[in-house]
């Protein structure tokens, strides 16, 4: 599951940076990393993952500043909707005492982070 998530993220980042597979191959070659186009397709399809050195170079090419956040390593993020009352109580905030604008802001900015099992 983690492997597939990383693969999908690599593909998403390549597209976000408007790069083709061939351009990624060329940019890696400029860094003395020679891989086949087929290998890059394998990374993006989840068949295999790049080694750590290549992965870090890909992150640099794709302008990733925070690898842990970008790839959500070891954690899952979920938007909080129905769990708002529980989170509000844990934070010491009374759900009933919030104004509508404060409540809206809390819903928009609150994220539930859980450890992967």
């Amino acid at each position: 599951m983690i492997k597939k998530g990383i693969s999908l993220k690599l593909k998403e980042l390549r597209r976000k940076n408007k790069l083709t597979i061939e351009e990624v191959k060329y940019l890696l070659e400029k860094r003395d990393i020679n891989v086949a186009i087929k290998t890059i397709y394998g990374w993006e399809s989840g068949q295999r993952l790049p080694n750590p050195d290549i992965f870090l170079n890909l992150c640099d090419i794709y302008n990733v500043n925070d690898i842990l956040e970008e790839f959500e390593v070891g954690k899952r993020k979920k938007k909080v909707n129905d769990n708002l009352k529980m989170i509000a109580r844990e934070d010491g905030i009374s759900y009933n005492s919030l104004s509508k604008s404060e409540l809206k802001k809390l819903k928009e900015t609150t994220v539930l982070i859980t450890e992967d099992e």
Side-chain angles (χ1 to χ4, degrees), residues 3-117:
K3 186 174 172 181
K4 189 68 173 173
I6 291 172
S7 295
L8 291 173
K9 183 53 98 168
L10 287 172
K11 187 174 190 174
E12 174 189 323
L13 289 167
R14 178 180 57 78
R15 289 179 172 174
K16 183 178 174 183
N17 284 277
K18 297 181 170 98
L19 294 169
T20 64
I21 297 271
E22 292 79 13
E23 290 169 327
V24 171
K25 179 182 177 1
Y26 172 76
L27 292 169
L28 287 170
E29 284 175 350
K30 285 178 64 174
R31 295 165 182 245
D32 294 323
I33 299 170
N34 295 309
V35 295
I37 289 175
K38 182 176 157 182
T39 301
I40 298 171
Y41 277 115
W43 296 336
E44 292 186 359
S45 67
Q47 294 173 353
R48 64 183 65 91
L49 290 176
N51 70 41
D53 183 49
I54 295 174
F55 178 75
L56 292 174
N57 277 281
L58 287 170
C59 288
D60 190 40
I61 290 168
Y62 298 153
N63 302 305
V64 174
N65 296 320
D66 187 342
I67 294 170
L68 295 177
E69 182 179 324
E70 191 72 44
F71 287 86
E72 299 176 0
V73 177
K75 295 189 177 193
R76 279 190 311 250
K77 291 184 179 183
K78 294 181 182 177
K79 288 263 184 198
V80 175
N81 295 323
D82 298 333
N83 297 331
L84 182 60
K85 290 181 183 178
M86 179 183 69
I87 290 171
R89 276 187 257 131
E90 289 176 358
D91 289 344
I93 301 169
S94 170
Y95 177 75
N96 295 328
S97 67
L98 296 174
S99 68
K100 286 185 180 182
S101 63
E102 290 171 322
L103 182 57
K104 183 179 177 188
K105 185 175 181 181
L106 184 64
K107 284 182 179 179
E108 291 171 354
T109 61
T110 303
V111 175
L112 177 63
I113 300 174
T114 59
E115 293 292 332
D116 273 342
E117 298 180 348

